[in-house]
Amino acid sequence: MPFIGNRFGWLKSGLFWRTFFLLAFLITASILAWVTSFRIVERTPRAQQMAAQVISIVTITRAALTHSAPELRRELLFDLASNEGIRIYPLEASDVVGPPPDNELMQVLETNVKARLGSDTKFAGRVNDVGGFWVSFKIEEDEYWLRLDRERIEGVSNIQWLGFGTAALTLSLLGAVFISRLINQPLSRIATATQAIAKGRWPEPLPERGPTEIRDANRSFNQMVADLNRVESDRAVILAGISHDLRTPLARMQLEVEMAQLPDEARLGMQSDLAQMDAIIGQFLEYARPSENIQGASVDLSGLLSDCAREAGRQQDVRVQTNISPEVNVFGHATDLTRIVSNLIENARRYGKTPNTNTADIEIACRSEGNQAVIEISDNGPGVPEKELDRLLRPFTRLDTARGQANGAGLGLAIVDRIVKRHRGTIRLSNKNGGGLRVRVSIPITGALS
């Protein structure tokens, strides 16, 4: 049962199929109701019409045979059979008679015919193994059978009704497909554009045509995208401008600290503060840097991680363990990939120190999984509350435990997330069982930058 549920899950999720099957059900039910109602309503008038036809044929045939010359009757019977499909046979007591169809239509027909031709009129559906519509009549004291083709009496058969219904249902279902597509296509365009925005790309403007509701929705969506794009551009310009403007006084302050007659401890403290400010400005510049027109190439990810691990191991408060598979290559931008690893290592160094120590034990792993290169960087620190994991990837987000250190702008992981998405990869944060934060980054081995 779970397999069947998963197999037909698209019926529940797709608006197109939901709309199509709803319309198909309503159309099918309407056609069935119409056919049933029509057949019920027109049954009596159709039976009366067929009875009048039978009465007319019998009356005319009897009159023609009665008033024709005896030597011309054979030729008359031949003409009736060949031209009109009316065949006359003598009614014998030895005839093997099969009853006519037992339905309401035939009952009404028999009642009307007997009322005009006499109550002794007989009906049969088969005589001597010859099928058709058989009705008896008298000429003086002799009785005869008049046989008509069954199709002439029955009118529209069940097979014909089925054919009409199938044709109408087919055309209706084609109309349902068209209507479903007409309804679903604008929504599908909006969904695709929304997904593109979620992935950091700006979609093409939606067409502002069609019904009023769709036109208004597309116009509002295009306006929203334009506003978001303008806000993003303005924010990037503001961040870049402020960061550039701060670099000049920072450089002057660093020079003044170097030249000032200060105790070594005070000089080192001020230099450390200025270095932190410079690093924060660097994060602003990196976050505000546009991502367009960045060319990718094949990057030796194993070598890049080994170099980053070796560089991180030179810091006194870091111990690095590596488990890097050789010859793992990805398509990407080497500088951006280095920024990913450096930011994750720096994040672990600042906030993932092993409890009761002043050292961050960082584990760096890399391997290939199918068409993905997987990077895992973890620490043995206190970890992160589960409800805060997703929030860490937002810009300017820092946990309460990190705010007191005041040595970052909360952009490190946001920059990592942006670069990973630019490489069409994914990033996932989780807590280790033994304590500590694990960051898993998956990047396609082959592909293109977005």
Side-chain angles (χ1 to χ4, degrees):
M1 291 299 291
F3 172 76
I4 296 177
N6 293 334
R7 185 176 181 181
F8 293 98
W10 53 274
L11 290 177
K12 299 180 180 179
S13 60
L15 179 61
F16 173 83
W17 291 110
R18 284 187 177 187
T19 307
F20 171 75
F21 281 109
L22 178 59
L23 290 175
F25 172 76
L26 294 176
I27 290 171
T28 303
S30 299
I31 291 176
L32 292 176
W34 178 84
V35 170
T36 303
S37 301
F38 179 79
R39 296 197 68 177
I40 292 175
V41 171
E42 61 91 37
R43 181 182 298 151
T44 300
R46 186 156 66 95
Q48 293 174 347
Q49 182 181 10
M50 289 190 297
Q53 182 182 6
V54 170
I55 293 169
S56 176
I57 292 173
V58 172
T59 302
I60 293 173
T61 302
R62 181 167 54 188
L65 291 174
T66 301
H67 295 90
S68 64
E71 64 273 11
L72 298 178
R73 286 181 180 177
R74 182 180 298 275
E75 184 177 351
L76 175 61
L77 292 175
F78 178 79
D79 288 341
L80 288 174
S82 59
N83 296 331
E84 303 296 333
I86 302 172
R87 294 170 175 83
I88 308 299
Y89 301 92
L91 191 153
E92 305 289 345
S94 60
D95 289 340
V96 179
V97 179
D102 185 14
N103 53 50
E104 295 183 11
L105 183 69
M106 188 57 63
Q107 293 175 4
V108 175
L109 186 147
E110 290 181 7
T111 301
N112 284 269
V113 172
K114 287 182 178 180
R116 294 289 302 275
L117 299 182
S119 59
D120 58 346
T121 304
K122 301 179 181 66
F123 298 89
R126 181 176 295 274
V127 175
N128 298 327
D129 293 330
V130 178
F133 177 79
W134 297 75
V135 59
S136 69
F137 67 94
K138 286 183 178 182
I139 298 179
E140 297 180 353
E141 296 301 325
D142 297 325
E143 285 191 291
Y144 297 89
W145 285 114
L146 185 148
R147 185 175 75 85
L148 299 173
D149 292 334
R150 184 172 291 133
E151 292 78 9
R152 190 168 180 176
I153 296 300
E154 290 183 348
V156 181
S157 65
N158 292 331
I159 300 298
Q160 290 174 313
W161 277 113
L162 181 61
F164 294 154
T166 302
L169 181 60
T170 301
L171 293 176
S172 300
L173 292 180
L174 291 176
V177 171
F178 175 76
I179 294 173
S180 300
R181 184 174 179 82
L182 190 65
I183 295 174
N184 185 69
Q185 193 174 38
L187 298 177
S188 179
R189 287 199 190 104
I190 292 179
T192 302
T194 304
Q195 292 170 0
I197 293 176
K199 294 179 181 178
R201 301 192 299 269
W202 298 108
E204 294 293 327
L206 298 177
E208 297 180 6
R209 60 177 183 270
T212 303
E213 294 80 2
I214 299 298
R215 189 166 61 248
D216 292 343
N218 287 358
R219 184 181 297 114
S220 299
F221 184 86
N222 291 337
Q223 183 63 44
M224 181 193 70
V225 172
D227 292 342
L228 289 174
N229 197 0
R230 184 173 61 254
V231 169
E232 182 71 15
S233 299
D234 292 345
R235 185 178 65 171
V237 170
I238 291 172
L239 289 176
I242 292 176
S243 300
H244 278 102
D245 292 342
L246 288 177
R247 278 285 168 86
T248 300
L250 270 181
R252 189 184 305 116
M253 291 172 65
Q254 288 173 344
L255 180 61
E256 292 176 353
V257 169
E258 291 291 338
M259 297 180 62
Q261 301 296 325
L262 297 173
D264 292 340
E265 183 177 354
R267 178 180 290 106
L268 291 175
M270 295 181 67
Q271 289 176 341
S272 175
D273 291 340
L274 291 173
Q276 288 183 12
M277 293 174 64
D278 188 67
I280 292 174
I281 293 174
Q283 285 188 337
F284 277 115
L285 289 174
E286 175 63 28
Y287 188 75
R289 182 169 65 91
S291 58
E292 293 81 4
N293 301 324
I294 297 179
Q295 300 297 323
S298 180
V299 178
D300 179 9
L301 188 60
S302 299
L304 185 148
L305 286 171
S306 298
D307 293 342
C308 291
R310 188 164 46 252
E311 186 67 25
R314 295 177 181 174
Q315 302 181 68
Q316 295 181 355
D317 57 347
V318 174
R319 284 197 299 263
V320 179
Q321 294 182 358
T322 61
N323 182 17
I324 302 173
S325 300
E327 299 181 358
V328 178
N329 295 282
V330 296
F331 184 87
H333 190 265
T335 302
D336 282 351
L337 294 173
T338 302
R339 170 69 69 178
I340 291 175
V341 179
S342 299
N343 280 13
L344 293 178
I345 292 176
E346 181 63 18
N347 187 77
R349 185 188 72 82
R350 289 182 177 181
Y351 311 118
K353 287 185 169 57
T354 304
N356 302 321
T357 68
N358 196 34
T359 303
D361 295 304
I362 302 174
E363 300 173 8
I364 301 176
C366 177
R367 61 185 179 277
S368 297
E369 293 183 359
N371 191 41
Q372 299 283 323
V374 178
I375 305 170
E376 286 187 351
I377 298 179
S378 56
D379 56 61
N380 294 329
V384 176
E386 292 292 336
K387 63 180 181 180
E388 301 287 349
L389 286 174
D390 293 337
R391 198 166 65 89
L392 282 180
L393 298 177
R394 300 175 188 172
F396 309 104
T397 298
R398 295 165 60 211
L399 299 181
D400 292 337
T401 56
R403 290 193 185 115
Q405 301 180 32
N407 53 3
L411 285 174
L413 292 180
I415 292 172
V416 170
D417 183 50
R418 173 175 288 190
I419 297 175
V420 169
K421 288 180 179 178
R422 193 182 305 158
H423 285 74
R424 301 183 185 275
T426 59
I427 180 172
R428 185 167 64 88
L429 279 61
S430 62
N431 287 310
K432 292 169 55 179
N433 291 332
L437 180 68
R438 176 186 289 112
V439 181
R440 176 189 171 99
V441 176
S442 298
I443 297 176
I445 292 176
T446 59
L449 299 180
S450 60

